[in-house]
C-alpha cells in the first residue's frame, strides 16, 4: 500500500488555476486576494484535504505555535480540569498543546525533552517535586518560557496558582474554630510542603500542640491511598476528632474508611479536603473543601506564558500571581460531637453565633 501523498500549495494551484503565491495568501485570509478567489481556493483546499505545514511556517516565524503542558496525576480531577481550560485558552490564541503526564522526576525530565524536540514555544507545568526546580530554572536562564501552575514564592520562576499555604492555614483554622484540638493530616511531606506547612502554621498561631505522628503521607494519589493512609493514622491511636487532607481524593478515601469502620462523619470525625472536586460535593456526606477556580487560573497562566513567548529580548524577571482559595463549608465539618451546619444560598454556613456552642 502506498503512503498517502500530502497535498501541497502547488496541487491547489493546479486545481484552481491560481498561482502558488495567490493560493498561499488566500489560505492565510489576505484581503489582497478577492473574496471570490479565496472561496474557490478554500473549497479546493478542503476537497484535497490540505493541511497547513506548521514546520515550514515555523522556519519563517521562529515559532511553532505549540506549547507543552505537563501534569502529574490524571487521577486528580482538579489539574485535569485546569488542563482542559488551559488548552481552550491556548486554542483561542491560535496555539496547539502537546500534553504529557509524569509521576517521577525522571519522567518529568523525559517529557520536557520530548516537548523541546518538538519545538514547543513554552511550557505550562505542575512540577512533580516542588522543592527541586533547578532543571526548570536552567531552562529559563536559556530564555525558554515556563509558567508553573502552583503558587510558590521565591522560586526564580514564573508561577500562577492558588496560595496553598494560606488556603491550608484557613482550612485548618476552620476546624480549630469549631473546637477541634486533635487534628490529623493526610498529605505529602517532602516534595509538596506548602499545604502541610499551612496546616502546621495554624497550630502554631492558635497555640495547639502538634505531634508529627498526626501527619500521615499517603502512597500515591487516589482514594485508595487516602483510605490506606487513614488506616495507618488510626492505628496510632491519637484521639483525633478532625482531619485535613491536602487533596479531595485523600479526603474521600478517609470518608470511606470512616464509613467502613463505623465512624460517623462529622459527629465523630470532621474532614476537610482540598480541590473542591465534584465527587466531594456530591458524596453521601458532602465534603468541606478548598475551592480554586480552574478557569481563572488557566486564563492567568496563559496570559503570563504568552507575555514570555512574545518577549523579543531576554525574558523579564519572573512574576508570581497568587490566587485566593475559598473554603466551601459543607456537611463533613462540624463541632466535635455534634452537627452545626445549615444550608445557605451558595454553601453551608456555621451557625456558631446562633447556638453559642
Amino acid at each position: 500500500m502506498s503512503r498517502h501523498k500530502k497535498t501541497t500549495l502547488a496541487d491547489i494551484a493546479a486545481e484552481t488555476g491560481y498561482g502558488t503565491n495567490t493560493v498561499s495568501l488566500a489560505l492565510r485570509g489576505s484581503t489582497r486576494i478577492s473574496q471570490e478567489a479565496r472561496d474557490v481556493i478554500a473549497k479546493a483546499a478542503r476537497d484535497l484535504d490540505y493541511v497547513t505545514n506548521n514546520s515550514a511556517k515555523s522556519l519563517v516565524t521562529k515559532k511553532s505555535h505549540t506549547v507543552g503542558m505537563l501534569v502529574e496525576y490524571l487521577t486528580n480531577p482538579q489539574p485535569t480540569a485546569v488542563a482542559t481550560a488551559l488548552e481552550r485558552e491556548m486554542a483561542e490564541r491560535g496555539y496547539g498543546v502537546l500534553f504529557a503526564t509524569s509521576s517521577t522526576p525522571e519522567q518529568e525530565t523525559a517529557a520536557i525533552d520530548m516537548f523541546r524536540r518538538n519545538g514547543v514555544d513554552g511550557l505550562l507545568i505542575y512540577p512533580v517535586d516542588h522543592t527541586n526546580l533547578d532543571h526548570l530554572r536552567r531552562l529559563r536562564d536559556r530564555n525558554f518560557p515556563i509558567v508553573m501552575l502552583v503558587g510558590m514564592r521565591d522560586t526564580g520562576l514564573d508561577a500562577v496558582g492558588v496560595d496553598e499555604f494560606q488556603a491550608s492555614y484557613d482550612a485548618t483554622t476552620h476546624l480549630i474554630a469549631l473546637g477541634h484540638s486533635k487534628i490529623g493530616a493526610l498529605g505529602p511531606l517532602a516534595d509538596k510542603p506548602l499545604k502541610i506547612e499551612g496546616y502546621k502554621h495554624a497550630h502554631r498561631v492558635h497555640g495547639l500542640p502538634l505531634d508529627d505522628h498526626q501527619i500521615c503521607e499517603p502512597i500515591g494519589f487516589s482514594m485508595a491511598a487516602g483510605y490506606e493512609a487513614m488506616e495507618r493514622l488510626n492505628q496510632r491511636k491519637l484521639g483525633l476528632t478532625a482531619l485535613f487532607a491536602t487533596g479531595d481524593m485523600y479526603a474521600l478515601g478517609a470518608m470511606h474508611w470512616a464509613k467502613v469502620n463505623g465512624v460517623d462523619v462529622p459527629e465523630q470525625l470532621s474532614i476537610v479536603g482540598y480541590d473542591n472536586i465534584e465527587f466531594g460535593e456530591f458524596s453521601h456526606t458532602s465534603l468541606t473543601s478548598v475551592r480554586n477556580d480552574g478557569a481563572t487560573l488557566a486564563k492567568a497562566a496563559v496570559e503570563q506564558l504568552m507575555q514570555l513567548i512574545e518577549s523579543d529580548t531576554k525574558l523579564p524577571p519572573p512574576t508570581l500571581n497568587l490566587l485566593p482559595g475559598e473554603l466551601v463549608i459543607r456537611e463533613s465539618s462540624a463541632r466535635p460531637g455534634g452537627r452545626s451546619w445549615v444550608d445557605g444560598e451558595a454553601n453551608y454556613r456555621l451557625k456558631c453565633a446562633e447556638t453559642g456552642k
Side-chain angles (χ1 to χ4, degrees):
M1 181 183 292
S2 63
R3 190 177 177 185
H4 176 66
K5 180 179 179 295
K6 292 181 181 179
T7 301
T8 66
L9 295 177
D11 295 327
I12 300 173
E15 178 72 17
T16 61
Y18 290 104
T20 54
N21 188 51
T22 299
V23 169
S24 177
L25 289 170
L27 292 177
R28 283 183 279 155
S30 173
T31 55
R32 291 166 56 189
I33 309 301
S34 70
Q35 185 62 56
E36 180 183 0
R38 278 185 277 159
D39 290 343
V40 169
I41 291 168
K43 182 179 184 305
R46 288 193 300 271
D47 292 345
L48 294 172
D49 194 26
Y50 175 74
V51 178
T52 303
N53 186 343
N54 281 332
S55 296
K57 185 190 296 185
S58 67
L59 292 174
V60 177
T61 64
K62 306 300 183 184
K63 289 190 172 92
S64 67
H65 287 86
T66 60
V67 298
M69 188 184 304
L70 187 56
V71 299
E72 185 175 2
Y73 289 111
L74 284 178
T75 51
N76 187 351
Q78 174 59 22
T80 303
V82 172
T84 302
L86 285 165
E87 186 173 27
R88 186 164 53 246
E89 289 285 342
M90 294 305 306
E92 290 178 359
R93 292 162 173 78
Y95 274 72
V97 177
L98 297 181
F99 183 81
T101 63
S102 63
S103 57
T104 67
E106 293 75 20
Q107 290 175 351
E108 181 174 282
T109 299
I112 294 172
D113 288 344
M114 179 273 291
F115 288 148
R116 299 196 71 207
R117 286 195 301 272
N118 281 275
V120 298
D121 296 330
L123 176 66
L124 296 157
I125 181 172
Y126 282 98
V128 170
D129 185 344
H130 295 181
T131 64
N132 183 11
L133 304 171
D134 287 345
H135 59 306
L136 300 181
R137 282 188 282 266
R138 284 194 294 270
L139 285 176
R140 194 186 198 281
D141 289 342
R142 297 170 192 158
N143 237 33
F144 183 69
I146 298 172
V147 174
M148 292 198 305
L149 302 173
V150 288
M152 297 177 60
R153 295 176 170 85
D154 304 321
T155 62
L157 294 160
D158 290 89
V160 176
V162 172
D163 189 341
E164 294 182 349
F165 178 89
Q166 183 65 47
S168 300
Y169 169 87
D170 292 342
T172 308
T173 296
H174 162 67
L175 291 169
I176 295 171
L178 287 171
H180 295 280
S181 58
K182 285 286 189 176
I183 305 168
L186 301 182
L189 297 169
D191 56 356
K192 298 177 182 66
L194 285 177
K195 294 176 185 177
I196 292 297
E197 286 301 320
Y199 157 85
K200 289 180 177 180
H201 188 58
H203 281 76
R204 289 192 294 267
V205 168
H206 298 287
L208 289 184
L210 179 63
D211 189 320
D212 284 344
H213 284 90
Q214 290 172 230
I215 306 168
C216 189
E217 184 167 11
I219 300 170
F221 191 88
S222 65
M223 283 184 264
Y227 182 100
E228 186 274 335
M230 188 65 219
E231 173 62 26
R232 282 190 281 132
L233 193 58
N234 178 65
Q235 290 172 0
R236 298 172 186 176
K237 302 186 183 304
L238 301 170
L240 303 177
T241 63
L243 177 77
F244 169 61
T246 62
D248 282 354
M249 300 293 276
Y250 296 151
L252 291 169
M255 286 177 69
H256 185 64
W257 175 90
K259 182 178 180 181
V260 168
N261 288 276
V263 176
D264 186 89
V265 176
E267 290 282 343
Q268 294 169 285
L269 182 69
S270 284
I271 299 178
V272 173
Y274 194 108
D275 285 330
N276 195 46
I277 65 175
E278 189 176 24
F279 297 146
E281 182 180 358
F282 291 96
S283 176
H284 61 281
T285 300
S286 59
L287 180 64
T288 297
S289 184
V290 174
R291 173 168 61 200
N292 51 80
D293 187 341
T296 300
L297 190 156
K299 187 175 182 64
V302 167
E303 287 177 352
Q304 181 60 28
L305 184 64
M306 292 306 300
Q307 288 179 17
L308 298 179
I309 290 173
E310 293 169 0
S311 176
D312 293 330
T313 57
K314 185 176 175 59
L315 293 179
T319 61
L320 170 63
N321 186 354
L322 283 179
L323 306 176
E326 176 193 0
L327 184 65
V328 182
I329 302 171
R330 300 194 180 98
E331 296 173 289
S332 68
S333 61
R335 291 183 174 276
R339 300 176 187 272
S340 61
W341 54 271
V342 292
D343 193 1
E345 286 185 7
N347 52 31
Y348 294 102
R349 304 291 183 188
L350 294 171
K351 56 177 183 180
C352 303
E354 295 179 15
T355 64
K357 294 181 181 178

